[in-house]
Amino acid sequence: GNSVTQMEGPVTLSEEAFLTINCTYTATGYPSLFWYVQYPGEGLQLLLKATKADDKGSNKGFEATYRKETTSFHLEKGSVQVSDSAVYFCALGGNFGNEKLTFGTGTRLTIIP
Amino acid sequence: EAGVAQSPRYKIIEKRQSVAFWCNPISGHATLYWYQQILGQGPKLLIQFQNNGVVDDSQLPKDRFSAERLKGVDSTLKIQPAKLEDSAVYLCASSWTSGSNGEQFFGPGTRLTVL
């Protein structure tokens, strides 16, 4: 079955540092890949997504590239801010808008000024 | 556009009691999901509805959990009787039937504590 392995946390960085959160997956077929973010006290929000191999999703300075050859979807940001402190979830799902998401365990990120 | 609404936001009960959660999805979204998120883990799908029909309930503990979506809009999730291990955040999400490439929209969740 489908599964997602996500970099263990917590991760603590200084402001303006470079961020990488690793995510690898196991799936049949050609899933879509997602990064969701959960800010303190809020619900899950979609951060970015990619629907096919070599696609790059990007939003709010974050990027992730769908690498089929390495079954990876690592999240990166060149310069993090305190406001990026949150829990980040990698997930995989279907391509048709009505298939369940399989989530990783989440990575708690804390940015210190 | 209003988001996914859930209530209550918090619930504390004793084991063996019953509890129910309510979800109102985004208007027009045919697909509705209930996820369970245990502390320190990612959300796990409990049940998925397409309109008022069940698509996937393979991970729903059917001896104690039940869910319905009678008119294809609102949904309720019930636990009866609750166990200590049911303590978690219960998330409701919704999506279009197709064309969204899998994007789901999540509500704020209901945090359940079973004592």
Side-chain angles (χ1 to χ4, degrees), chain A residues 7 12 16 22 25 31 48 53 56 60 82 96 102-103 110:
Chain A
M7 176 177 173
T12 302
E16 299 183 4
N22 290 337
Y25 68 91
L48 54 84
K56 178 185 285 188
K60 299 182 180 179
V82 171
F96 303 104
T102 300
F103 285 87
T110 302

Side-chain angles (χ1 to χ4, degrees), chain B residues 49-69:
Chain B
F49 292 94
Q50 181 76 17
N51 296 308
N52 59 351
V54 175
V55 174
D56 183 350
D57 64 356
S58 57
Q59 298 196 82
L60 186 74
K62 298 180 186 65
D63 58 333
R64 298 184 300 106
F65 286 64
S66 64
E68 60 183 13
R69 193 184 184 201

Side-chain angles (χ1 to χ4, degrees), chain A residues 16-35:
Chain A
E16 299 183 4
F18 184 85
L19 168 71
T20 300
I21 301 177
N22 290 337
C23 172
T24 57
Y25 68 91
T26 302
T28 55
Y30 303 93
S32 292
L33 298 172
F34 306 84
W35 278 99

Side-chain angles (χ1 to χ4, degrees), chain A residues 32 34 36 38 41-46 49 51 89 93-106, chain B residues 9 31 33 35 37 40-43 45 48 50 56 59 91 95-104 106-107:
Chain A
S32 292
F34 306 84
Y36 277 82
Q38 192 169 34
E42 300 184 18
L44 280 166
Q45 303 173 25
L46 179 66
K49 65 182 180 184
T51 59
F89 292 92
N95 288 311
F96 303 104
N98 60 352
E99 297 182 34
K100 70 177 184 182
L101 293 171
T102 300
F103 285 87
T105 53
Chain B
R9 291 295 307 275
T31 309
Y33 314 78
Y35 290 86
Q37 186 179 12
Q41 299 181 19
L45 181 74
Q48 176 183 343
Q50 181 76 17
D56 183 350
Q59 298 196 82
L91 299 168
S95 69
W96 298 103
T97 300
S98 62
S100 68
N101 290 321
E103 181 174 357
Q104 296 177 20
F106 285 81

Side-chain angles (χ1 to χ4, degrees), chain A residues 39-111:
Chain A
Y39 297 105
E42 300 184 18
L44 280 166
Q45 303 173 25
L46 179 66
L47 179 60
L48 54 84
K49 65 182 180 184
T51 59
K52 60 183 187 295
D54 300 325
D55 266 4
K56 178 185 285 188
S58 61
N59 186 26
K60 299 182 180 179
F62 291 88
E63 293 183 340
T65 301
Y66 189 159
R67 301 286 189 199
K68 190 163 177 63
E69 64 276 14
T70 54
T71 62
S72 65
F73 193 55
H74 305 321
L75 182 68
E76 297 182 336
K77 186 174 185 181
S79 176
V80 292
Q81 306 300 313
V82 171
S83 57
D84 295 327
S85 297
V87 182
Y88 292 81
F89 292 92
C90 184
L92 68 84
N95 288 311
F96 303 104
N98 60 352
E99 297 182 34
K100 70 177 184 182
L101 293 171
T102 300
F103 285 87
T105 53
T107 301
R108 181 174 298 277
L109 173 67
T110 302
I111 307 301

